[in-house]
Amino acid sequence: MMAKKKAKDDAINLGMPDAQRRAIADGLSRLLADTYTLYLKTHNFHWNVTGPQFNSLHLMFEGQYTELALAVDLVAERIRALGEPAPGSYSAFAKLSTIKEADGVPSATEMVRILADDQLAVVRTARSVFPLADAAQDEPTADLLTQRMQVHEKTAWMLRANLG
């Protein structure tokens, strides 16, 4: 049994200790859950937004959920490259995510405020994983995290700008 485990670990020897590799993958799993949950919430708001800003918010939310749909694939593929399974069910995401579902259908202004706050929550999750990647000299993960933080910080700013 031990020989099989050792052979599996050798097959994914990325030049970092297994404990670090697994901790990074666990952190990325939380990021994946936050990103997917935000994707789903943004898509929901895209479908259900109403009011004088309908067209602009409908289009903005579409751009955001499209970007998030691409992002979940990047994060999941990085988890797999680290040799760990990526979570992929609603129940797994619900356990891992800091993003909460919206109750009912909020007003357009409240949707924007909620999404701005949630974008920053994703930034905080990514930032919490960064020290793990940095300590392991895991540049691919650090690069992914940096890119995700940049996108989410900018998106939060764009959303806040709609609030005045």
Side-chain angles (χ1 to χ4, degrees), residues 17-164:
D18 288 337
Q20 282 183 311
R21 180 180 53 76
R22 288 187 186 107
I24 293 166
D26 287 346
L28 289 174
S29 292
R30 292 190 315 275
L31 180 63
L32 178 61
D34 277 357
T35 304
Y36 191 86
T37 305
L38 181 56
Y39 158 79
L40 188 59
K41 184 185 277 187
T42 305
H43 212 151
N44 173 26
F45 289 176
H46 163 79
W47 291 327
N48 291 299
V49 69
T50 60
Q53 291 183 294
F54 167 79
N55 195 51
S56 62
L57 292 178
H58 184 74
L59 292 172
M60 182 173 60
F61 294 163
E62 181 177 15
Q64 291 171 6
Y65 78 69
T66 300
E67 193 284 327
L68 290 163
L70 297 172
V72 294
D73 204 44
L74 294 172
V75 176
E77 287 176 355
R78 183 65 195 147
I79 294 167
R80 294 301 298 137
L82 290 167
E84 298 299 317
S89 68
Y90 290 124
S91 62
F93 290 152
K95 289 177 189 171
L96 293 167
S97 183
T98 63
I99 308 293
K100 303 301 176 206
E101 290 184 7
D103 292 326
V105 179
S107 69
T109 300
E110 188 63 9
M111 286 178 179
V112 172
R113 188 199 60 75
I114 289 168
L115 292 178
D117 289 347
D118 288 348
Q119 290 284 341
L120 294 177
V122 178
V123 170
R124 290 189 297 273
T125 298
R127 196 173 308 282
S128 75
V129 181
F130 196 90
L132 300 172
D134 192 42
Q137 298 178 327
D138 181 0
E139 289 85 358
T141 298
D143 182 54
L144 174 64
L145 293 168
T146 300
Q147 290 177 41
R148 296 311 311 151
M149 287 186 285
Q150 183 177 13
V151 167
H152 291 288
E153 287 174 0
K154 182 177 181 179
T155 303
W157 160 57
M158 297 271 184
L159 287 160
R160 287 191 313 271
N162 279 278
L163 297 174

